[in-house]
Amino acid sequence: MILKKLSLINYKNFDQISIEFDSKINCFVGKNGIGKTNILDAIYHLAFGKSYFNPITSQNVKHGEDFFMIEGDFENGSKSEKVITSFKKGQRKLMKRNGKDYEKISEHIGTIPLVIISPTDRDLILEGSETRRKFMDGVISQGDKLYLDALLKYNKVLSQRNALLKYFAANRTFDETSLEVYDDQMIELGQIIFQKREKFIEEFKPILQKRYEEISNSREKISLTYRSQFNEEESYKTILKSGLKTDLQRQFSNFGTHKDDLIFKIQSHSVKKFGSQGQQKSYLIALKFAQYDFLKSHYGVKPILLLDDIFDKLDEDRVSQIVSMVTHAELGQMCISDTHPDRTEEVVKKNANHYKMINLENEI
């Protein structure tokens, strides 16, 4: 999948801009605040129907305006694809592919395989389990519609169950039959989610190990463990029953696949607690390139790779290695953002015969 042209209207800091892309390497440069990250985010928006950095849609509209539009022209093998996402305040977001509206934006997920690496990804290491579940869900959902459908339904049931728990507390009442309706749905959907996550991690671990060794030039052994309440010997229904008192007290569902987590370790020690900055950085980059490898091998296409402020994460030798991989066709199309044009071009020149430098200070 190759992005040929991107057009924005009233998206974040841009009034209007149109950019044509090189099929391999595109370098967005300029001072901080000029909009480099926003360009990459617009590409992500076309792939996932939402911003990577701010999921509140209305806050992606340029200040003082009431709508935005993002339009991308793609090349998929011999086919041309046009994807448009737009939003007007007070209305629902719309997505179109080749002129046809999607009834649900979730139907579009997986059409444009994409991997993004950003400084904000450090949250994968440092923050709570929700961030790591989102990472896992994002990888699996790009190629598994059944998983995405089960996940969306599960989250809806979870929200309804939580609302019922709050209703019980507010009205000092309890109806076990009503609660069991949601419990049964959570068990059925949760089992699908668990099985697919478990299978994914089993396949993903050796890919991650290989990438970590390449990126860190290290013989350290890393591990990735999927932790879920489904791993307990008790049945899931028993777990829900035993946790009911806690749920009623907290007015929230405390047991289920929405509590799953990924455990990152190096040499049997927690990356979060004991990993050096270099180890954390290497583990994170390995995760993202393993994601790329997984999507590429499973779904037969080379995802678009977005590297936001990559020099914040890797030294020039590592960036040079990545650019070399792209040039030698191991990877597909890549977009890089950086504040230093000379530094970026020097690294790219060493490895690429053709590329495009886009200085946004000259574009807006």
Side-chain angles (χ1 to χ4, degrees):
M1 183 70 74
I2 302 296
L3 176 61
K4 305 293 289 183
K5 184 178 179 181
L6 177 72
S7 300
L8 308 179
I9 299 175
N10 296 336
Y11 187 71
K12 297 195 174 184
N13 68 309
F14 294 103
D15 292 319
Q16 189 166 349
I17 190 171
S18 185
I19 301 169
E20 294 187 355
F21 285 69
D22 182 83
S23 62
K24 279 291 182 183
I25 301 172
N26 300 272
C27 306
F28 292 93
V29 295
K31 62 186 179 183
N32 285 326
I34 200 71
K36 304 181 298 296
T37 296
N38 293 344
I39 293 291
L40 301 192
D41 199 24
I43 301 171
Y44 183 92
H45 216 130
L46 287 173
F48 291 92
K50 62 182 179 181
S51 163
Y52 187 69
F53 300 99
N54 189 349
I56 301 174
T57 301
S58 60
Q59 294 180 7
N60 293 306
V61 179
K62 189 177 188 298
H63 184 69
E65 304 294 339
D66 66 351
F67 80 99
F68 72 72
M69 186 175 76
I70 309 169
E71 181 177 320
D73 294 321
F74 295 86
E75 185 179 279
N76 185 10
S78 59
K79 296 180 181 179
S80 295
E81 302 266 2
K82 182 183 288 290
V83 177
I84 298 174
T85 181
S86 60
F87 171 75
K88 186 172 183 178
K89 290 181 179 179
Q91 300 180 15
R92 71 181 185 92
K93 184 185 291 183
L94 300 175
M95 285 203 78
K96 291 183 179 182
R97 179 182 175 196
N98 298 330
K100 184 179 180 181
D101 288 340
Y102 284 103
E103 289 187 16
K104 299 177 182 177
I105 291 177
S106 61
E107 295 172 0
H108 178 69
I109 305 301
T111 302
I112 304 170
L114 182 146
V115 174
I116 184 169
I117 303 176
S118 162
T120 62
D121 293 332
R122 62 183 177 273
D123 291 349
L124 267 173
I125 302 289
L126 302 176
E127 295 299 322
S129 61
E130 181 181 3
T131 308
R132 290 180 287 278
R133 283 194 303 276
K134 284 183 178 179
F135 168 77
M136 182 165 47
D137 293 340
V139 182
I140 304 172
S141 294
Q142 285 196 62
D144 192 330
K145 295 292 186 184
L146 179 60
Y147 179 84
L148 180 58
D149 182 61
L151 187 66
L152 292 172
K153 288 178 179 177
Y154 181 93
N155 289 335
K156 183 177 180 180
V157 172
L158 175 64
S159 178
Q160 292 170 333
R161 188 179 192 271
N162 289 340
L164 184 60
L165 291 169
K166 289 181 172 62
Y167 174 83
F168 289 160
N171 293 274
R172 297 184 179 182
T173 187
F174 176 69
D175 182 356
E176 185 176 4
T177 303
S178 297
L179 196 65
E180 283 183 345
V181 171
Y182 297 121
D183 288 357
D184 291 343
Q185 293 178 70
M186 283 180 65
I187 292 166
E188 180 182 356
L189 295 167
Q191 188 68 47
I192 295 171
I193 293 167
F194 167 74
Q195 289 173 348
K196 288 183 175 290
R197 284 177 177 173
E198 193 174 46
K199 182 181 178 183
F200 161 69
I201 293 300
E202 184 180 339
E203 296 181 34
F204 190 74
K205 280 194 288 188
I207 304 172
L208 174 65
Q209 177 75 53
K210 180 182 177 183
R211 279 300 187 186
Y212 184 84
E213 290 173 355
E214 291 174 354
I215 290 167
S216 66
N217 285 327
S218 171
R219 293 184 178 179
E220 295 171 325
K221 289 296 181 183
I222 65 168
S223 66
L224 171 65
T225 305
Y226 170 41
R227 186 172 69 191
S228 175
Q229 291 161 343
F230 263 118
N231 290 329
E232 303 293 337
E233 292 182 3
E234 298 176 283
S235 71
Y236 194 50
K237 190 161 190 173
T238 302
I239 293 171
L240 281 178
K241 290 281 188 184
S242 63
L244 180 57
K245 184 177 179 181
T246 303
D247 289 351
L248 291 169
Q249 288 174 340
R250 298 181 181 179
Q251 302 170 44
F252 182 83
S253 303
N254 293 276
F255 302 90
T257 50
H258 59 287
K259 292 293 185 178
D260 289 357
D261 200 358
L262 297 177
I263 310 302
F264 304 149
K265 289 186 177 181
I266 297 178
Q267 302 288 70
S268 302
H269 299 295
S270 166
V271 176
K272 177 179 179 178
K273 292 182 179 179
F274 301 105
S276 66
Q277 281 194 343
Q279 288 173 323
Q280 290 180 353
K281 188 181 291 188
S282 294
Y283 199 107
L284 179 58
I285 298 296
L287 273 173
K288 289 304 187 100
F289 274 93
Q291 175 187 359
Y292 187 101
D293 294 338
F294 181 88
L295 292 172
K296 178 185 170 186
S297 64
H298 270 254
Y299 310 122
V301 291
K302 295 177 181 178
I304 296 171
L305 180 62
L306 307 180
L307 304 179
D308 182 34
D309 198 12
I310 191 61
F311 288 95
D312 176 68
K313 289 193 167 297
L314 298 174
D315 56 35
E316 290 189 20
D317 288 341
R318 292 285 179 267
V319 177
S320 181
Q321 179 185 355
I322 293 169
V323 173
S324 176
M325 289 160 59
V326 173
T327 305
H328 292 91
E330 183 182 343
L331 304 181
Q333 188 180 35
M334 180 172 72
C335 298
I336 303 173
S337 72
D338 188 29
T339 52
H340 298 83
D342 294 340
R343 173 175 66 182
T344 305
E345 188 160 19
E346 183 180 349
V347 169
V348 172
K349 262 185 177 180
K350 291 178 184 177
N351 300 282
N353 295 323
H354 67 94
Y355 57 90
K356 188 169 186 178
M357 298 291 298
I358 304 163
N359 192 325
L360 290 179
E361 295 177 40
N362 301 329
E363 299 286 336
I364 60 175

